[in-house]
Amino acid sequence: MSYTNSPSIEQAHLLVFENNFMQLAQQKDSKLLSSPAVTMMPVKGVSNISRIGRTELNEVTGIRNPLLNPESMDNDNRRAKFRRFEKSFLVDNFDAAIMMITDPTSALFQTLQYAKQRTTDRVIIESAVGTVLVGRPDRQPTEVSAADDGVITITGTTNFDYANVVTVLERNFKNNEVFGDAITFAVSANEEHLLKQEDKFINNDYTAYRNVDQRDIKNVGGLDLVVFAGSKTGVATIERPILPESGGTRTNVAMAADAIGFGMELGYFGISKSPNHVNSWIIAIEVYFKAVRKEGVRIQKVTSTV
């Protein structure tokens, strides 16, 4: 981590900002970072995840002293994608700039926090449905698509409901030996609205979550629902949605536990005098992110209509 060494700002101010920024990052961060689908990993250096493929034991019959029959080990190596994000602001009062960065309730501080939260969720989703780097640590990696990596796509553009989406998700996970209750299902508010029409998710005969009273659906058929803003034709357009939207179709994402490795670090922060403006100061911040899809079968994509 590096900071500007400028006589115009004390190191104590920078440390106050870093402590507040990272503390809030841990306490009130993104919707996905605290889910079972994401596990933290170091952000420094090259992050490689070595995996051993699935195998079965060979049965020995009719031989008391069988010969050894070694086989080549099926393994691969995954490399996290290193991503860098920055933001800078121009302010015309140095004292005001100091207050902005040292006060965790200031508008600037909160704006940076919310931007980081959205970027965190966006990086996690993009690593879930995008390509993954595979190859030995000492060689150029190969990009493998989500489909070739085992990520299944379910079509929910016509019917986004219990029978055509939720039960299919559960079946696909189980058929790929992905069991457990910790499934995170990221959808937009539009898909949540469709699921609210299902008696199975709002009727007490089927669910004990009292979703009508809580206004939000927290669980659908054992899947933990995480809701983001999404575009709706003729109603609203989201400039930079968390869930990918293209050609009138949105990609919703279901993730089993330990599906994504993720790391984040505040890489740079500083205040410097603007060389091009009169009595003005530049506040600059830089944040590093890393994310990698650990196993394709732990993720499913569900398309829906925007």
Side-chain angles (χ1 to χ4, degrees):
M1 189 175 302
S2 61
Y3 292 114
T4 53
N5 273 331
S6 170
S8 61
I9 182 171
E10 296 181 5
Q11 188 73 12
H13 294 142
L14 298 173
L15 293 177
V16 168
F17 176 87
E18 180 193 2
N19 291 336
N20 289 335
F21 190 84
M22 297 309 295
Q23 185 177 13
L24 287 181
Q26 297 170 5
Q27 292 179 355
K28 45 176 285 189
D29 216 287
S30 75
K31 295 183 178 182
L32 295 176
L33 190 59
S34 59
S35 72
V38 180
T39 54
M40 299 301 293
M41 63 182 183
V43 74
K44 294 183 182 298
V46 178
S47 296
N48 292 292
I49 299 177
S50 296
R51 309 185 315 155
I52 298 178
R54 300 184 183 186
T55 189
E56 299 290 342
L57 298 178
N58 298 322
E59 183 179 5
V60 177
T61 58
I63 302 176
R64 183 175 181 179
N65 300 109
L67 297 175
L68 293 173
N69 185 26
E71 301 175 0
S72 297
M73 184 177 296
D74 180 19
N75 66 340
D76 68 13
N77 183 82
R78 296 183 171 228
R79 184 178 301 178
K81 293 182 178 180
F82 187 85
R83 303 180 65 178
R84 175 183 177 188
F85 295 84
E86 63 81 28
K87 192 68 178 180
S88 58
F89 298 94
L90 184 66
V91 294
D92 59 4
N93 186 293
F94 177 73
D95 292 333
I98 294 298
M99 290 300 299
M100 286 179 183
I101 67 170
T102 56
D103 179 10
T105 64
S106 71
L108 173 64
F109 197 96
Q110 294 299 322
T111 296
L112 290 174
Q113 275 296 319
Y114 295 145
K116 179 186 60 60
Q117 292 170 23
R118 291 190 296 271
T119 303
T120 296
D121 287 328
R122 194 173 290 113
V123 167
I124 291 173
I125 291 295
E126 289 174 357
S127 69
V129 301
T131 60
V132 63
L133 300 177
V134 178
R136 289 175 49 175
D138 58 342
R139 294 186 180 179
Q140 185 71 21
T142 300
E143 283 198 274
V144 178
S145 68
D148 290 340
D149 194 38
V151 176
I152 297 175
T153 298
I154 299 172
T155 301
T157 51
T158 303
N159 297 295
F160 199 97
D161 53 22
Y162 178 76
N164 294 280
V165 172
V166 176
T167 60
V168 177
L169 281 172
E170 295 171 342
R171 180 195 65 196
N172 290 342
F173 278 129
K174 291 176 180 178
N175 281 337
N176 281 291
E177 298 183 0
V178 179
F179 298 97
D181 298 328
I183 305 294
T184 302
F185 190 19
V187 302
S188 84
N190 304 295
E191 286 69 46
E192 182 195 33
H193 172 76
L194 295 175
L195 295 174
K196 283 181 178 179
Q197 314 309 310
E198 291 266 354
D199 280 348
K200 293 179 176 61
F201 302 139
I202 62 175
N203 192 318
N204 289 340
D205 290 339
Y206 300 99
T207 178
Y209 286 94
R210 303 182 66 86
N211 290 321
V212 174
D213 292 345
Q214 296 179 8
R215 193 174 61 178
D216 300 323
I217 297 182
K218 303 297 184 183
N219 188 284
V220 289
L223 310 178
D224 295 326
L225 208 65
V226 177
V227 181
F228 294 100
S231 300
K232 180 65 176 175
T233 301
V235 178
T237 300
I238 307 301
E239 292 186 4
R240 296 188 61 190
I242 303 299
L243 300 172
E245 298 176 357
S246 178
T249 300
R250 180 172 23 258
T251 299
N252 307 275
V253 185
M255 298 177 286
D258 198 29
I260 302 294
F262 178 83
M264 179 200 70
E265 183 183 42
L266 176 63
Y268 169 87
F269 176 75
I271 299 179
S272 59
K273 192 171 180 59
S274 172
N276 301 318
H277 301 83
V278 177
N279 195 29
S280 297
W281 304 81
I282 297 175
I283 301 176
I285 185 172
E286 186 176 62
V287 185
Y288 299 117
F289 292 87
K290 276 186 178 181
V292 60
R293 181 174 59 243
K294 291 187 174 182
E295 189 175 15
V297 296
R298 292 184 174 274
I299 295 170
Q300 296 184 58
K301 301 192 297 184
V302 184
T303 61
S304 60
T305 302
V306 172

